[in-house]
Amino acid sequence: MRKNTIRVSELIICMSLFEVGSTTLFLMGAEAKQDAWLVMLIGALAGLLLLMLHLAIHHQDPDLDLFMLFRRYTGKYVGTIINLLFVMYFTYEASRNIRDLGEVTVMTLLRQTPLWIIILITIVVVSNTVRYGYKALFLFCLFLFPFFVLGYAIISILIPATGLFHLENSLPVLEEGWKPIFKAAIPELISFPFGQTVLFLVFYPLVHKDRNITKPVFFAYIMTALALTFVNQLDIFVLGPKIAANSTLPLLETVQLIELADLFERMDALFTLLLFLGLIIKMSLFFNGAVIGLEKITGVGFKKWILPLAALIYGLSFLSPNYIHHMVIGRKFVLNSWFPIFQIFLPLSLFTFIVIKKEKRQINSPLHKDTVVQYSEVMPLSQQLHHTR
């Protein structure tokens, strides 16, 4: 795969759509009831700290991606094991996205179509997208971005315009204090969606080197987090905290209530399309990350890994016998136990290894030794004796 072929604008737009992905499918922070917006903001702030860590890792060695960084700074064998684990993590994330898409399709559009057929068609389409490489996917995101902005803007404007917006549903603030808010935010909201930006350590080295990516990435992340917080709170503004928390697809139910002068109806079709495209983009990015990882680990071209990984993603998507089990495993176990290892622990460990190894290299460098020798030569004899004591 070629390097340095992604523009900064393509990177930040793709990151924004990746963050949106399947996030609007759920009510995030439902445990905090009307204070879900506070949960989102705390989760976003914690995710911002993680993003700072990821960018700090990237700036330590800008030419190396996630896989090559682990190989260089943890050794060939340990690095290979960790890289394979990251490939498994990206693959599993993709399988969860495709299961979400399949289940939503069955619930909203194709009720009589078997789930396995929907997922099979989706994996074929996504595999074909991955076959053209990451550049095609980033350009695809660039093309779709205005549609996403316009679609969610229309939904956000029409809800107040039709009288569905009830600000009182978000009151009182902090009714049960801060404890349930932090409990709902950490680590669940860090793991999904904000901590998933660890994937972009694979793509940062592919950006043109003519601009610093830090400020644009921060700006895109903050704007996306604020937009997601508002869209998430729309469910509570319209449905109320209790109904929204018990709803399978809260934003879809919210959008179905929109009716304005027989002109704007069936807005659920617009939201479903936005949701499908977001899921496909997110799944494609995880799929790309996995095949790039296997290419770096084995030296075999990424295209040869597409079919085996597509089959694996397809199989993993059926691990759960039903959607309820899929949700329980995802929200209660995977987000709290497994994902933090890849999003927090391993990146933090990598950054520590990089800093320690670079300090050792500086100490052992000839320039550092020459400086010590020169210092000892000019130091008075009395001071040298004092130091030797």
Side-chain angles (χ1 to χ4, degrees):
M1 290 192 174
R2 285 184 175 181
K3 287 190 173 184
N4 305 331
T5 57
I6 301 174
R7 296 178 181 177
V8 175
S9 58
E10 294 170 1
L11 175 74
I12 62 175
I13 285 173
C14 200
M15 178 178 282
S16 293
L17 297 187
F18 173 82
E19 285 290 309
V20 173
S22 58
T23 308
T24 54
L25 178 62
F26 314 103
L27 175 64
M28 311 304 296
E31 298 87 347
K33 300 176 183 177
Q34 66 269 20
D35 292 326
W37 64 279
L38 287 171
V39 177
M40 286 289 289
L41 290 178
I42 290 172
L45 181 60
L48 183 62
L49 296 176
L50 275 183
L51 184 62
M52 292 172 64
L53 172 64
H54 300 159
L55 288 170
I57 292 171
H58 167 66
H59 289 309
Q60 292 291 324
D61 229 325
D63 294 325
L64 300 183
D65 64 14
L66 175 70
F67 303 104
M68 299 309 293
L69 284 167
F70 271 110
R71 188 180 179 89
R72 170 173 287 187
Y73 291 102
T74 63
K76 179 180 178 181
Y77 299 106
V78 174
T80 300
I81 293 171
I82 294 174
N83 287 340
L84 286 172
L85 290 174
F86 265 102
V87 168
M88 290 174 58
Y89 163 60
F90 294 154
T91 303
Y92 181 69
E93 285 271 29
S95 73
R96 291 196 63 84
N97 291 149
I98 200 171
R99 179 62 182 266
D100 288 336
L101 189 146
E103 292 286 357
V104 172
T105 304
V106 170
M107 284 188 283
T108 58
L109 298 176
L110 306 175
R111 299 180 185 274
Q112 303 301 318
T113 306
L115 181 64
W116 68 269
I117 292 180
I118 296 171
I119 293 180
L120 180 62
I121 293 171
T122 305
I123 196 66
V124 169
V125 173
V126 171
S127 298
N128 188 57
T129 304
V130 175
R131 185 170 66 89
Y132 287 100
Y134 58 84
K135 179 64 177 177
L137 179 58
F138 277 72
L139 289 174
F140 181 60
C141 292
L142 193 66
F143 173 76
L144 286 179
F145 182 69
F147 175 71
F148 271 83
V149 173
L150 181 63
Y152 280 108
I154 289 173
I155 291 172
S156 300
I157 292 170
L158 287 179
I159 286 176
T162 51
L164 297 172
F165 193 94
H166 301 287
L167 186 61
E168 62 272 15
N169 286 341
S170 290
L171 300 174
V173 178
L174 294 174
E175 183 180 17
E176 298 179 12
W178 286 100
K179 186 176 179 180
I181 294 171
F182 280 102
K183 186 177 179 181
I186 302 173
E188 187 172 319
L189 246 73
I190 301 175
S191 298
F192 174 78
F194 300 113
Q196 293 174 322
T197 53
V198 68
L199 171 67
F200 283 83
L201 276 169
V202 178
F203 301 111
Y204 290 147
L206 304 173
V207 180
H208 285 293
K209 298 295 187 288
D210 57 346
R211 275 190 65 190
N212 191 322
I213 65 172
T214 302
K215 288 183 178 179
V217 166
F218 280 164
F219 176 78
Y221 176 89
I222 292 170
M223 290 295 101
T224 306
L226 292 175
L228 286 174
T229 300
F230 176 74
V231 172
N232 188 72
Q233 197 69 10
L234 280 178
D235 300 334
I236 293 173
F237 287 142
V238 177
L239 301 175
K242 291 183 179 179
I243 297 176
N246 293 322
S247 174
T248 306
L249 301 171
L251 189 56
L252 180 63
E253 290 187 20
T254 299
V255 171
Q256 285 175 336
L257 298 174
I258 296 175
E259 291 183 8
L260 184 62
D262 296 328
L263 179 62
F264 292 101
E265 293 184 351
R266 297 292 301 173
M267 296 301 295
D268 53 322
L270 172 63
F271 170 67
T272 304
L273 180 59
L274 292 170
L275 185 60
F276 284 177
L277 290 173
L279 281 165
I280 287 174
I281 289 170
K282 194 165 192 172
M283 182 174 57
S284 299
L285 283 165
F286 277 124
F287 200 160
N288 262 287
V291 295
I292 290 173
L294 287 173
E295 182 184 54
K296 295 295 177 67
I297 294 167
T298 64
V300 178
F302 76 97
K303 290 185 178 180
K304 294 182 178 179
W305 289 109
I306 292 174
L307 186 59
L309 268 184
L312 181 59
I313 290 170
Y314 182 79
L316 289 173
S317 66
F318 293 100
L319 281 178
S320 295
N322 53 60
Y323 191 52
I324 295 175
H325 183 270
H326 172 75
M327 291 296 297
V328 170
I329 290 296
R331 300 292 292 272
K332 302 301 180 185
F333 173 71
V334 175
L335 292 183
N336 294 318
S337 302
W338 187 26
F339 286 2
I341 296 173
F342 296 95
Q343 298 168 357
I344 303 172
F345 175 72
L346 287 176
L348 190 59
S349 301
L350 174 61
F351 183 70
T352 305
F353 290 143
I354 292 173
V355 172
I356 291 173
K357 283 204 170 187
K358 286 200 169 186
E359 285 184 356
K360 284 184 178 179
R361 285 176 187 172
Q362 289 179 354
I363 292 173
N364 296 327
S365 66
L367 181 63
H368 183 270
K369 290 180 179 179
D370 290 343
T371 304
V372 173
V373 171
Q374 292 172 9
Y375 177 69
S376 63
E377 288 176 353
V378 300
M379 185 186 297
L381 179 61
S382 58
Q383 290 187 22
Q384 291 186 34
L385 292 173
H386 175 75
H387 278 276
T388 55
R389 291 173 189 173

